[in-house]
Amino acid sequence: MLELLNEHVCHGGVQRYYRHQSQAIGLSMRFAAFIPARADGAALPALFYLAGLTCTEETFMIKAGAQRMAAQEGLILIAPDTSPRGASVAGEDDSWDFGLGAGFYLDATQAPWNMNYRMESYIRELRELVIRELDVDARRVGICGHSMGGHGALTLALRHPELFRSVSAFAPIAAPSQAPWGQKAFTGYLGADRAAWAAHDASALMAQRRTPFPDGILIDQGLGDQFLDTQLYPEVFEQACRGAAQPLRLRRHAGYDHGYYFIMSFIDDHLRFHTKNLKALAD
């Protein structure tokens, strides 16, 4: 059951914010949905957007300016929160890069996080919920994300290609096993076994695949990004794609940093990319 918290008319469609009880998380969760106008009432394709560290379900919808192009393309936008809220796990708000706002889109296996920090299962649950409640076309669901959310988009697409048929990212944590953010999260949520880490590392996953997305993957990376050399490692993912014969457009942009001015500059390209890929599935 969805509880509508508020809604706003936007570019001829409607921007909504919902709350619902999640079985995967065991708590109530919030998400945002932009739903463009429907001329014939038909089910529409959808794009999941996974936000980065410290963000909420509101961040992308408020800052990215994606609704205009989504309305033009007839694309539903879904933005979940970045972690459970209200789990009351000791230490979950001690740092900004682990715990609250930093669920890393995986299912924790280590206590006490494994009780509620089950974000991979939650994203799958939310996908089924919006298909049922918001008339999303189940055949045409893509996924995109930024930073921690870029990591989530890449890994969830690679782990569940039957669920997410198109994938892109902005400045993703592309090799989290090599990055301080990823190492901290993986140790806390998954423990010390690096084999468990590899199952949630986009570069390691890609190295085990063979052309999982033949229509390509799109990544945009700012060269003025303060985290590029220490946290993101797009070149590692790029090399893994070469080995997997995976078409990849990794666009490097001089001057752009890690924030939403960067995302709003190129979000239209990502929406068109997903629309093209998802439309082909309906033809």
Side-chain angles (χ1 to χ4, degrees), residues 13-16 18 31-38 41-49 60-61 66-67 69-79 126-127 129-138 140-144 271 274-275 278:
V14 61
Q15 176 65 59
R16 291 177 177 163
Y18 291 103
F31 72 95
F34 172 72
I35 305 170
R38 304 177 199 248
L44 295 177
L47 178 65
F48 273 64
Y49 177 88
F60 173 72
M61 297 300 188
Q67 292 91 337
M69 182 57 68
Q72 180 177 313
E73 297 290 337
L75 185 64
I76 292 174
L77 301 176
I78 303 294
L126 182 59
R127 180 186 180 277
L129 180 66
V130 300
I131 287 169
R132 184 173 67 249
E133 299 291 337
L134 302 183
D135 285 332
V136 167
D137 185 345
R140 297 185 291 158
V141 180
I143 194 165
C144 175
L271 298 188
H274 286 280
T275 299
L278 296 174

Side-chain angles (χ1 to χ4, degrees), residues 8-205:
H8 313 274
V9 175
C10 181
H11 290 289
V14 61
Q15 176 65 59
R16 291 177 177 163
Y17 294 90
Y18 291 103
R19 179 167 54 206
H20 70 109
Q21 189 67 25
S22 167
Q23 293 184 355
I25 299 294
L27 299 164
S28 65
M29 293 289 288
R30 297 180 182 229
F31 72 95
F34 172 72
I35 305 170
R38 304 177 199 248
D40 54 7
L44 295 177
L47 178 65
F48 273 64
Y49 177 88
L50 308 184
L53 293 165
T54 75
C55 294
T56 72
E57 75 282 355
E58 293 183 304
T59 309
F60 173 72
M61 297 300 188
I62 292 172
K63 291 185 174 182
Q67 292 91 337
R68 180 189 61 80
M69 182 57 68
Q72 180 177 313
E73 297 290 337
L75 185 64
I76 292 174
L77 301 176
I78 303 294
D81 203 350
T82 52
S83 78
R85 308 282 171 171
S88 300
V89 177
E92 68 177 354
D93 57 355
D94 286 354
S95 59
W96 64 274
D97 56 356
F98 182 79
L100 282 177
F104 269 80
Y105 304 103
L106 52 77
D107 287 356
T109 59
Q110 302 298 298
W113 309 99
N114 58 339
M115 293 296 294
N116 305 109
Y117 278 72
R118 297 175 48 79
M119 289 299 293
E120 178 174 4
S121 290
Y122 174 66
I123 298 301
R124 297 180 66 183
E125 176 188 26
L126 182 59
R127 180 186 180 277
E128 296 306 310
L129 180 66
V130 300
I131 287 169
R132 184 173 67 249
E133 299 291 337
L134 302 183
D135 285 332
V136 167
D137 185 345
R139 302 167 301 166
R140 297 185 291 158
V141 180
I143 194 165
C144 175
H146 168 234
S147 193
M148 177 187 72
H151 143 76
L154 294 173
T155 57
L156 292 181
L158 287 166
R159 287 169 62 82
H160 306 288
E162 75 284 2
L163 301 182
F164 300 105
R165 306 298 300 277
S166 180
V167 58
S168 72
F170 291 92
I173 306 172
S177 298
Q178 302 180 37
W181 283 338
Q183 292 167 352
K184 181 176 181 177
F186 286 177
T187 300
Y189 294 136
L190 302 175
D193 182 3
R194 284 184 170 260
W197 295 13
H200 299 278
D201 183 309
S203 295
L205 286 168

